[in-house]
Amino acid sequence: MPGLIRGVARTAVVAGTATAVSNRVSRRQQGRWAQQAAAEQPAPAPAAPPPAPAADASDNTIARLKELGELKAQGVLTDAEFEEQKRRILGS
């Protein structure tokens, strides 16, 4: 019986040691792979400069004012309606 217990104890120690070593190796490999993945990722591209909204906005404003003037000339808008819409477009 003592020989059987000694054999079981030895097997448990060997199995526990093997599990501990295996886990340590796995964690070390995962750490290395994470470092490699981080090193291989390209740096993010610099952000593109925003478009010039002032030029686009002024072109749009001018086009809207011209359209408004045409509507007034056609008689679609009254003078009061024209002035109100013009104020809205100009933001004042």
Side-chain angles (χ1 to χ4, degrees):
M1 190 80 149
L4 180 62
I5 293 176
R6 193 176 317 146
V8 170
R10 184 180 304 144
T11 302
V13 168
V14 170
T17 304
T19 301
V21 169
S22 175
N23 288 339
R24 189 175 342 143
V25 169
S26 293
R27 282 192 304 269
R28 190 179 308 158
Q29 285 178 341
Q30 287 175 351
R32 287 180 184 166
W33 292 337
Q35 287 175 351
Q36 286 177 353
E40 291 175 358
Q41 290 179 351
D56 294 340
S58 65
D59 290 344
N60 188 25
T61 302
I62 292 171
R64 290 173 62 195
L65 287 172
K66 284 182 181 179
E67 182 181 340
L68 195 62
E70 291 172 3
L71 289 174
K72 182 183 175 202
Q74 293 172 359
V76 176
L77 295 176
T78 64
D79 288 337
E81 292 171 331
F82 173 78
E83 290 299 323
E84 182 178 337
Q85 293 298 321
K86 184 172 86 172
R87 252 181 281 145
R88 285 185 184 172
I89 291 171
L90 295 175
S92 55

Coordinates of all heavy atoms in Angstrom, one line a residue:
M1 N 0.8 -1.2 0.0 CA 0.0 0.0 0.0 C 0.9 1.3 0.0 O 0.5 2.2 -0.7 CB -0.9 0.0 1.2 CG -1.9 1.0 1.2 SD -3.3 0.5 0.2 CE -4.6 1.2 0.9
P2 N 1.9 1.4 0.8 CA 2.8 2.6 0.8 C 3.4 2.8 -0.6 O 3.5 4.0 -1.0 CB 3.9 2.3 1.8 CG 3.4 1.2 2.6 CD 2.4 0.4 1.8
G3 N 3.7 1.8 -1.3 CA 4.2 2.0 -2.6 C 3.2 2.6 -3.6 O 3.5 3.4 -4.5
L4 N 1.9 2.2 -3.4 CA 0.9 2.7 -4.3 C 0.6 4.2 -4.0 O 0.5 5.0 -4.9 CB -0.4 1.9 -4.0 CG -1.7 2.3 -4.8 CD1 -1.4 2.1 -6.3 CD2 -2.9 1.5 -4.4
I5 N 0.6 4.6 -2.7 CA 0.4 6.0 -2.3 C 1.6 6.8 -2.8 O 1.4 7.9 -3.4 CB 0.2 6.1 -0.8 CG1 -1.1 5.4 -0.4 CG2 0.2 7.6 -0.4 CD1 -1.3 5.4 1.1
R6 N 2.8 6.3 -2.7 CA 3.9 7.0 -3.2 C 3.8 7.2 -4.7 O 4.2 8.3 -5.2 CB 5.2 6.2 -2.8 CG 6.4 7.1 -3.0 CD 7.7 6.4 -2.6 NE 7.5 5.7 -1.3 CZ 8.1 4.5 -1.0 NH1 9.0 3.9 -1.8 NH2 7.9 3.9 0.2
G7 N 3.4 6.2 -5.4 CA 3.3 6.3 -6.9 C 2.2 7.3 -7.3 O 2.4 8.1 -8.2
V8 N 1.1 7.3 -6.6 CA 0.0 8.3 -6.9 C 0.5 9.7 -6.5 O 0.2 10.6 -7.3 CB -1.2 7.9 -6.1 CG1 -2.3 9.0 -6.1 CG2 -1.8 6.6 -6.5
A9 N 1.2 9.9 -5.4 CA 1.7 11.2 -5.1 C 2.7 11.7 -6.1 O 2.7 12.9 -6.5 CB 2.4 11.1 -3.7
R10 N 3.6 10.8 -6.5 CA 4.6 11.2 -7.6 C 3.9 11.6 -8.8 O 4.2 12.6 -9.5 CB 5.5 10.0 -7.8 CG 6.6 10.4 -8.8 CD 7.6 9.3 -9.1 NE 8.2 8.8 -7.8 CZ 8.5 7.5 -7.6 NH1 8.2 6.6 -8.5 NH2 9.0 7.2 -6.4
T11 N 2.9 10.9 -9.2 CA 2.1 11.2 -10.5 C 1.4 12.6 -10.3 O 1.4 13.4 -11.3 CB 1.1 10.1 -10.7 OG1 1.7 8.8 -10.9 CG2 0.3 10.4 -12.0
A12 N 0.9 12.8 -9.1 CA 0.2 14.1 -8.9 C 1.2 15.3 -9.0 O 0.9 16.3 -9.6 CB -0.5 14.1 -7.6
V13 N 2.4 15.1 -8.4 CA 3.4 16.1 -8.4 C 3.9 16.4 -9.9 O 4.0 17.5 -10.3 CB 4.6 15.7 -7.5 CG1 5.8 16.7 -7.8 CG2 4.2 15.8 -6.1
V14 N 4.1 15.3 -10.6 CA 4.5 15.4 -12.0 C 3.4 16.1 -12.8 O 3.7 17.0 -13.6 CB 4.9 14.1 -12.6 CG1 5.1 14.2 -14.1 CG2 6.2 13.5 -11.9
A15 N 2.2 15.7 -12.7 CA 1.1 16.3 -13.4 C 0.9 17.8 -13.1 O 0.7 18.6 -13.9 CB -0.2 15.5 -13.2
G16 N 1.0 18.1 -11.8 CA 0.9 19.5 -11.4 C 2.0 20.4 -11.9 O 1.8 21.5 -12.3
T17 N 3.2 19.8 -11.9 CA 4.4 20.6 -12.4 C 4.2 20.8 -13.9 O 4.5 21.9 -14.4 CB 5.7 19.8 -12.1 OG1 5.8 19.6 -10.7 CG2 6.9 20.6 -12.6
A18 N 3.8 19.7 -14.6 CA 3.6 19.9 -16.0 C 2.6 20.9 -16.4 O 2.7 21.7 -17.3 CB 3.2 18.5 -16.6
T19 N 1.5 20.9 -15.6 CA 0.4 21.9 -15.8 C 0.9 23.3 -15.6 O 0.7 24.3 -16.4 CB -0.8 21.6 -14.9 OG1 -1.2 20.3 -15.2 CG2 -1.9 22.6 -15.1
A20 N 1.7 23.5 -14.5 CA 2.2 24.8 -14.2 C 3.2 25.3 -15.3 O 3.1 26.5 -15.7 CB 2.9 24.8 -12.8
V21 N 4.0 24.4 -15.7 CA 5.0 24.8 -16.8 C 4.3 25.1 -18.1 O 4.6 26.1 -18.8 CB 6.0 23.7 -17.0 CG1 6.9 23.9 -18.2 CG2 6.9 23.6 -15.8
S22 N 3.3 24.3 -18.4 CA 2.5 24.5 -19.6 C 1.8 25.9 -19.6 O 1.8 26.6 -20.6 CB 1.5 23.4 -19.8 OG 0.7 23.6 -20.9
N23 N 1.2 26.2 -18.5 CA 0.5 27.5 -18.4 C 1.5 28.7 -18.5 O 1.1 29.7 -19.1 CB -0.3 27.5 -17.0 CG -1.5 26.7 -17.0 OD1 -2.0 26.3 -18.0 ND2 -1.9 26.3 -15.8
R24 N 2.6 28.5 -17.8 CA 3.6 29.6 -17.9 C 4.1 29.8 -19.3 O 4.2 30.9 -19.8 CB 4.8 29.3 -17.0 CG 5.7 30.4 -16.9 CD 6.9 30.2 -15.9 NE 6.7 29.2 -14.9 CZ 7.6 28.3 -14.5 NH1 8.9 28.5 -15.0 NH2 7.4 27.4 -13.7
V25 N 4.3 28.7 -20.1 CA 4.8 28.8 -21.5 C 3.7 29.4 -22.3 O 3.9 30.3 -23.2 CB 5.2 27.4 -22.0 CG1 5.4 27.4 -23.5 CG2 6.4 26.9 -21.3
S26 N 2.4 29.1 -22.1 CA 1.3 29.6 -22.8 C 1.2 31.1 -22.6 O 1.0 31.9 -23.6 CB 0.0 29.0 -22.5 OG 0.0 27.6 -22.9
R27 N 1.3 31.6 -21.4 CA 1.2 33.0 -21.0 C 2.4 33.8 -21.7 O 2.2 34.9 -22.2 CB 1.2 33.2 -19.5 CG -0.1 32.9 -18.9 CD -0.2 33.4 -17.5 NE 0.9 32.9 -16.6 CZ 0.8 31.8 -15.9 NH1 -0.3 31.1 -15.9 NH2 1.8 31.4 -15.1
R28 N 3.6 33.2 -21.6 CA 4.7 33.8 -22.2 C 4.6 34.0 -23.8 O 4.8 35.0 -24.3 CB 6.0 33.0 -21.9 CG 7.3 33.8 -22.3 CD 8.5 33.0 -22.0 NE 8.5 32.6 -20.6 CZ 9.2 31.6 -20.1 NH1 10.0 30.9 -20.9 NH2 9.2 31.2 -18.8
Q29 N 4.0 32.9 -24.4 CA 3.8 33.0 -25.9 C 2.8 34.0 -26.2 O 2.9 34.8 -27.2 CB 3.4 31.6 -26.4 CG 4.5 30.6 -26.5 CD 4.1 29.2 -27.0 OE1 2.9 28.9 -26.9 NE2 5.0 28.5 -27.5
Q30 N 1.7 34.1 -25.4 CA 0.7 35.0 -25.7 C 1.2 36.5 -25.5 O 0.9 37.3 -26.3 CB -0.5 34.8 -24.7 CG -1.4 33.6 -25.1 CD -2.5 33.4 -24.1 OE1 -2.5 34.0 -23.0 NE2 -3.3 32.4 -24.4
G31 N 2.0 36.7 -24.6 CA 2.7 38.0 -24.4 C 3.5 38.4 -25.6 O 3.5 39.5 -26.1
R32 N 4.3 37.4 -26.1 CA 5.2 37.7 -27.2 C 4.3 37.9 -28.5 O 4.6 38.8 -29.2 CB 6.1 36.5 -27.5 CG 7.2 36.3 -26.5 CD 8.1 35.2 -26.8 NE 9.1 35.0 -25.7 CZ 9.8 33.9 -25.6 NH1 9.6 32.9 -26.4 NH2 10.7 33.8 -24.6
W33 N 3.3 37.2 -28.6 CA 2.4 37.4 -29.8 C 1.7 38.7 -29.8 O 1.6 39.4 -30.8 CB 1.4 36.3 -29.9 CG 2.0 34.9 -30.3 CD1 3.2 34.7 -30.9 CD2 1.4 33.7 -30.0 NE1 3.4 33.3 -31.0 CE2 2.3 32.7 -30.5 CE3 0.2 33.2 -29.4 CZ2 2.0 31.3 -30.4 CZ3 0.0 31.9 -29.3 CH2 0.9 30.9 -29.8
A34 N 1.3 39.2 -28.6 CA 0.7 40.5 -28.4 C 1.7 41.6 -28.7 O 1.3 42.6 -29.4 CB 0.2 40.6 -27.0
Q35 N 3.0 41.4 -28.3 CA 4.0 42.4 -28.6 C 4.2 42.5 -30.1 O 4.4 43.5 -30.7 CB 5.3 42.1 -27.9 CG 5.2 42.4 -26.4 CD 6.5 41.9 -25.7 OE1 7.4 41.3 -26.3 NE2 6.6 42.3 -24.4
Q36 N 4.3 41.3 -30.8 CA 4.5 41.3 -32.2 C 3.4 41.9 -32.9 O 3.6 42.6 -33.9 CB 4.7 39.8 -32.7 CG 6.0 39.2 -32.3 CD 6.2 37.8 -32.7 OE1 5.2 37.2 -33.2 NE2 7.3 37.2 -32.6
A37 N 2.1 41.6 -32.5 CA 1.0 42.2 -33.2 C 1.0 43.7 -33.0 O 0.6 44.4 -34.0 CB -0.3 41.6 -32.6
A38 N 1.3 44.2 -31.9 CA 1.4 45.6 -31.6 C 2.5 46.3 -32.5 O 2.3 47.4 -33.0 CB 1.6 45.9 -30.2
A39 N 3.6 45.6 -32.6 CA 4.7 46.1 -33.4 C 4.4 46.1 -34.9 O 4.8 47.0 -35.7 CB 6.0 45.4 -33.1
E40 N 3.6 45.1 -35.4 CA 3.3 45.0 -36.8 C 2.2 45.9 -37.2 O 2.1 46.2 -38.4 CB 2.9 43.5 -37.1 CG 4.0 42.6 -37.0 CD 3.6 41.1 -37.1 OE1 2.4 40.9 -37.3 OE2 4.5 40.2 -37.1
Q41 N 1.4 46.4 -36.3 CA 0.3 47.3 -36.7 C 0.9 48.6 -37.2 O 1.7 49.2 -36.6 CB -0.7 47.6 -35.6 CG -1.5 46.4 -35.2 CD -2.4 46.7 -34.0 OE1 -2.3 47.8 -33.4 NE2 -3.3 45.8 -33.7
P42 N 0.4 49.0 -38.4 CA 1.0 50.3 -38.9 C 0.4 51.5 -38.1 O -0.7 51.4 -37.5 CB 0.4 50.4 -40.4 CG -0.8 49.5 -40.3 CD -0.5 48.4 -39.3
A43 N 1.2 52.5 -38.1 CA 0.8 53.7 -37.4 C -0.5 54.3 -38.1 O -0.6 54.2 -39.4 CB 1.9 54.8 -37.4
P44 N -1.4 54.9 -37.4 CA -2.6 55.4 -38.1 C -2.2 56.6 -39.0 O -1.3 57.4 -38.7 CB -3.5 55.9 -36.9 CG -2.5 56.1 -35.7 CD -1.4 55.1 -36.0
A45 N -2.9 56.7 -40.1 CA -2.6 57.7 -41.1 C -3.0 59.0 -40.5 O -4.0 59.1 -39.8 CB -3.3 57.4 -42.4
P46 N -2.3 60.1 -40.8 CA -2.7 61.4 -40.3 C -4.0 61.8 -40.9 O -4.3 61.5 -42.0 CB -1.5 62.3 -40.7 CG -0.9 61.6 -41.9 CD -1.1 60.2 -41.6
A47 N -4.8 62.5 -40.1 CA -6.1 62.9 -40.5 C -6.0 63.9 -41.6 O -5.1 64.8 -41.6 CB -6.8 63.5 -39.3
A48 N -6.9 63.8 -42.6 CA -6.9 64.7 -43.7 C -7.4 66.1 -43.2 O -8.2 66.1 -42.3 CB -7.9 64.2 -44.8
P49 N -6.9 67.1 -43.7 CA -7.3 68.4 -43.3 C -8.8 68.6 -43.7 O -9.2 68.2 -44.7 CB -6.4 69.4 -44.1 CG -5.9 68.6 -45.2 CD -5.9 67.2 -44.8
P50 N -9.5 69.3 -42.8 CA -10.9 69.5 -43.1 C -11.1 70.4 -44.3 O -10.2 71.3 -44.6 CB -11.5 70.2 -41.8 CG -10.3 70.8 -41.2 CD -9.1 69.9 -41.6
P51 N -12.2 70.2 -45.1 CA -12.4 71.1 -46.2 C -12.6 72.5 -45.8 O -13.0 72.8 -44.7 CB -13.6 70.5 -46.9 CG -14.3 69.8 -45.8 CD -13.2 69.3 -44.9
A52 N -12.4 73.4 -46.7 CA -12.5 74.8 -46.4 C -14.0 75.2 -46.5 O -14.6 75.4 -47.5 CB -11.8 75.7 -47.4
P53 N -14.7 75.2 -45.3 CA -16.1 75.5 -45.3 C -16.5 76.9 -45.7 O -17.6 77.2 -46.2 CB -16.6 75.2 -43.9 CG -15.3 75.4 -43.1 CD -14.2 75.1 -44.0
A54 N -15.6 77.8 -45.5 CA -15.9 79.2 -45.8 C -16.2 79.4 -47.3 O -17.2 80.1 -47.6 CB -14.8 80.1 -45.3
A55 N -15.4 78.9 -48.1 CA -15.6 79.0 -49.6 C -16.9 78.4 -50.0 O -17.7 78.9 -50.8 CB -14.4 78.5 -50.3
D56 N -17.1 77.1 -49.5 CA -18.3 76.4 -49.9 C -19.6 77.1 -49.4 O -20.6 77.2 -50.0 CB -18.3 75.0 -49.4 CG -17.2 74.2 -50.0 OD1 -16.7 74.6 -51.1 OD2 -16.8 73.2 -49.4
A57 N -19.5 77.6 -48.1 CA -20.6 78.3 -47.5 C -21.0 79.5 -48.2 O -22.1 79.9 -48.4 CB -20.3 78.5 -46.0
S58 N -19.9 80.3 -48.6 CA -20.2 81.6 -49.3 C -20.8 81.3 -50.7 O -21.6 82.1 -51.1 CB -18.9 82.4 -49.4 OG -18.0 81.8 -50.2
D59 N -20.3 80.3 -51.4 CA -20.8 79.9 -52.7 C -22.3 79.5 -52.6 O -23.1 79.9 -53.4 CB -20.0 78.8 -53.3 CG -18.6 79.2 -53.8 OD1 -18.4 80.5 -53.8 OD2 -17.8 78.4 -54.0
N60 N -22.6 78.7 -51.5 CA -23.9 78.3 -51.3 C -24.8 79.5 -50.9 O -26.0 79.6 -51.4 CB -24.0 77.2 -50.2 CG -25.3 76.6 -50.0 OD1 -26.1 76.5 -51.0 ND2 -25.6 76.1 -48.8
T61 N -24.3 80.4 -50.1 CA -25.1 81.6 -49.7 C -25.4 82.4 -50.9 O -26.6 82.9 -51.1 CB -24.4 82.4 -48.7 OG1 -24.1 81.5 -47.6 CG2 -25.1 83.6 -48.2
I62 N -24.5 82.6 -51.8 CA -24.7 83.5 -53.0 C -25.7 82.8 -53.9 O -26.6 83.5 -54.4 CB -23.3 83.7 -53.7 CG1 -22.4 84.6 -52.8 CG2 -23.5 84.3 -55.1 CD1 -21.0 84.7 -53.4
A63 N -25.6 81.5 -54.1 CA -26.5 80.8 -54.9 C -27.9 80.9 -54.4 O -28.9 81.1 -55.1 CB -26.1 79.3 -55.1
R64 N -28.1 80.7 -53.1 CA -29.4 80.8 -52.4 C -30.0 82.2 -52.6 O -31.2 82.4 -52.8 CB -29.3 80.4 -51.0 CG -29.1 78.9 -50.8 CD -28.8 78.5 -49.4 NE -30.0 78.7 -48.6 CZ -30.0 78.7 -47.3 NH1 -28.8 78.5 -46.6 NH2 -31.0 79.0 -46.5
L65 N -29.1 83.3 -52.4 CA -29.6 84.6 -52.6 C -30.0 84.9 -54.0 O -31.0 85.6 -54.2 CB -28.5 85.6 -52.1 CG -28.3 85.7 -50.6 CD1 -27.1 86.6 -50.3 CD2 -29.5 86.3 -49.9
K66 N -29.3 84.4 -55.0 CA -29.7 84.6 -56.4 C -31.0 83.9 -56.7 O -31.9 84.5 -57.3 CB -28.6 84.0 -57.3 CG -27.4 84.8 -57.4 CD -26.4 84.2 -58.4 CE -25.1 85.0 -58.5 NZ -24.1 84.4 -59.4
E67 N -31.2 82.7 -56.1 CA -32.5 82.0 -56.3 C -33.6 82.8 -55.7 O -34.7 82.9 -56.3 CB -32.4 80.6 -55.7 CG -33.6 79.8 -55.9 CD -33.5 78.4 -55.3 OE1 -32.4 78.0 -55.0 OE2 -34.6 77.8 -55.1
L68 N -33.3 83.4 -54.5 CA -34.3 84.2 -53.8 C -34.7 85.4 -54.6 O -35.9 85.8 -54.7 CB -33.8 84.5 -52.4 CG -34.8 85.1 -51.4 CD1 -35.8 84.0 -51.1 CD2 -34.0 85.5 -50.1
G69 N -33.7 86.1 -55.2 CA -33.9 87.2 -56.0 C -34.7 86.9 -57.3 O -35.6 87.7 -57.7
E70 N -34.5 85.7 -57.9 CA -35.3 85.3 -59.0 C -36.7 85.1 -58.7 O -37.6 85.4 -59.4 CB -34.6 84.1 -59.6 CG -33.3 84.3 -60.3 CD -32.6 83.0 -60.7 OE1 -33.2 81.9 -60.6 OE2 -31.5 83.1 -61.2
L71 N -36.9 84.5 -57.5 CA -38.3 84.2 -57.1 C -39.0 85.5 -56.8 O -40.2 85.7 -57.1 CB -38.3 83.4 -55.8 CG -37.9 81.9 -56.0 CD1 -37.8 81.2 -54.6 CD2 -38.9 81.2 -56.8
K72 N -38.3 86.5 -56.3 CA -39.0 87.8 -56.0 C -39.3 88.5 -57.4 O -40.3 89.1 -57.6 CB -38.0 88.7 -55.2 CG -38.7 90.1 -54.9 CD -37.7 91.0 -54.2 CE -38.4 92.3 -54.0 NZ -37.4 93.4 -53.8
A73 N -38.3 88.4 -58.3 CA -38.5 89.0 -59.7 C -39.7 88.4 -60.4 O -40.4 89.0 -61.1 CB -37.2 88.9 -60.5
Q74 N -39.9 87.1 -60.2 CA -41.0 86.4 -60.8 C -42.4 86.7 -60.1 O -43.4 86.3 -60.7 CB -40.8 84.9 -60.8 CG -39.6 84.4 -61.6 CD -39.3 82.9 -61.4 OE1 -39.9 82.3 -60.7 NE2 -38.3 82.5 -62.2
G75 N -42.3 87.3 -59.0 CA -43.5 87.6 -58.3 C -44.0 86.5 -57.3 O -45.1 86.6 -56.8
V76 N -43.2 85.5 -57.1 CA -43.5 84.4 -56.2 C -43.5 84.9 -54.8 O -44.3 84.5 -53.9 CB -42.6 83.2 -56.5 CG1 -42.9 82.1 -55.5 CG2 -42.7 82.7 -57.9
L77 N -42.5 85.8 -54.5 CA -42.3 86.3 -53.1 C -42.6 87.7 -53.0 O -42.4 88.5 -54.0 CB -40.8 86.1 -52.6 CG -40.3 84.7 -52.5 CD1 -38.8 84.7 -52.2 CD2 -41.0 83.9 -51.4
T78 N -43.2 88.1 -51.9 CA -43.5 89.5 -51.7 C -42.2 90.1 -51.1 O -41.2 89.4 -50.8 CB -44.6 89.7 -50.6 OG1 -44.2 89.2 -49.4 CG2 -45.9 89.1 -51.1
D79 N -42.2 91.5 -51.0 CA -41.0 92.2 -50.4 C -40.7 91.7 -49.0 O -39.6 91.5 -48.6 CB -41.2 93.7 -50.5 CG -41.1 94.2 -51.9 OD1 -40.5 93.5 -52.8 OD2 -41.6 95.3 -52.2
A80 N -41.7 91.6 -48.2 CA -41.6 91.2 -46.8 C -41.0 89.7 -46.7 O -40.1 89.4 -45.9 CB -42.9 91.3 -46.1
E81 N -41.6 88.8 -47.6 CA -41.1 87.5 -47.6 C -39.6 87.4 -48.0 O -38.8 86.7 -47.5 CB -41.9 86.6 -48.5 CG -43.4 86.4 -48.0 CD -44.2 85.7 -49.0 OE1 -44.0 85.9 -50.2 OE2 -45.2 85.0 -48.6
F82 N -39.3 88.2 -49.1 CA -37.9 88.3 -49.6 C -37.0 88.7 -48.5 O -35.9 88.1 -48.3 CB -37.9 89.2 -50.8 CG -36.5 89.4 -51.3 CD1 -35.8 88.5 -52.0 CD2 -35.8 90.6 -50.9 CE1 -34.5 88.7 -52.5 CE2 -34.5 90.8 -51.4 CZ -33.9 89.9 -52.2
E83 N -37.3 89.8 -47.8 CA -36.5 90.3 -46.7 C -36.3 89.3 -45.6 O -35.2 89.1 -45.0 CB -37.0 91.6 -46.2 CG -36.9 92.8 -47.1 CD -35.5 93.1 -47.5 OE1 -34.6 93.0 -46.7 OE2 -35.3 93.4 -48.7
E84 N -37.4 88.6 -45.2 CA -37.3 87.6 -44.1 C -36.4 86.4 -44.5 O -35.5 86.0 -43.8 CB -38.7 87.1 -43.8 CG -38.6 86.1 -42.6 CD -40.0 85.6 -42.2 OE1 -41.0 86.3 -42.5 OE2 -40.0 84.5 -41.6
Q85 N -36.6 85.9 -45.7 CA -35.7 84.8 -46.2 C -34.3 85.2 -46.4 O -33.3 84.5 -46.1 CB -36.2 84.3 -47.6 CG -37.6 83.6 -47.5 CD -37.6 82.4 -46.6 OE1 -36.6 81.6 -46.5 NE2 -38.6 82.2 -45.8
K86 N -34.1 86.5 -46.8 CA -32.7 87.0 -46.9 C -32.0 87.1 -45.6 O -30.8 86.7 -45.4 CB -32.7 88.4 -47.6 CG -31.3 88.9 -47.9 CD -31.4 90.2 -48.7 CE -31.6 91.4 -47.8 NZ -31.5 92.7 -48.5
R87 N -32.7 87.5 -44.6 CA -32.2 87.6 -43.2 C -31.8 86.2 -42.7 O -30.8 86.0 -42.1 CB -33.2 88.2 -42.2 CG -32.8 89.6 -41.8 CD -33.8 90.1 -40.9 NE -34.9 90.6 -41.7 CZ -36.2 90.6 -41.5 NH1 -36.6 90.3 -40.4 NH2 -37.1 91.0 -42.4
R88 N -32.7 85.2 -43.0 CA -32.4 83.8 -42.6 C -31.1 83.3 -43.2 O -30.3 82.6 -42.6 CB -33.6 82.9 -42.9 CG -34.7 83.1 -42.0 CD -35.8 82.0 -42.3 NE -37.0 82.2 -41.5 CZ -38.1 81.6 -41.7 NH1 -38.2 80.7 -42.6 NH2 -39.1 81.8 -40.9
I89 N -31.0 83.5 -44.5 CA -29.8 83.0 -45.3 C -28.6 83.7 -44.8 O -27.5 83.0 -44.6 CB -30.0 83.3 -46.8 CG1 -31.1 82.4 -47.3 CG2 -28.7 83.1 -47.5 CD1 -31.5 82.7 -48.8
L90 N -28.6 85.0 -44.5 CA -27.4 85.7 -44.0 C -27.2 85.5 -42.6 O -26.1 85.9 -42.1 CB -27.6 87.2 -44.4 CG -27.6 87.6 -45.9 CD1 -27.9 89.0 -46.1 CD2 -26.3 87.1 -46.6
G91 N -28.1 84.9 -41.9 CA -27.9 84.6 -40.4 C -28.0 85.8 -39.5 O -27.3 85.9 -38.5
S92 N -28.7 86.9 -39.9 CA -28.7 88.1 -39.1 C -30.1 88.4 -38.7 O -31.1 87.8 -39.1 CB -28.1 89.3 -39.7 OG -28.7 89.5 -41.0

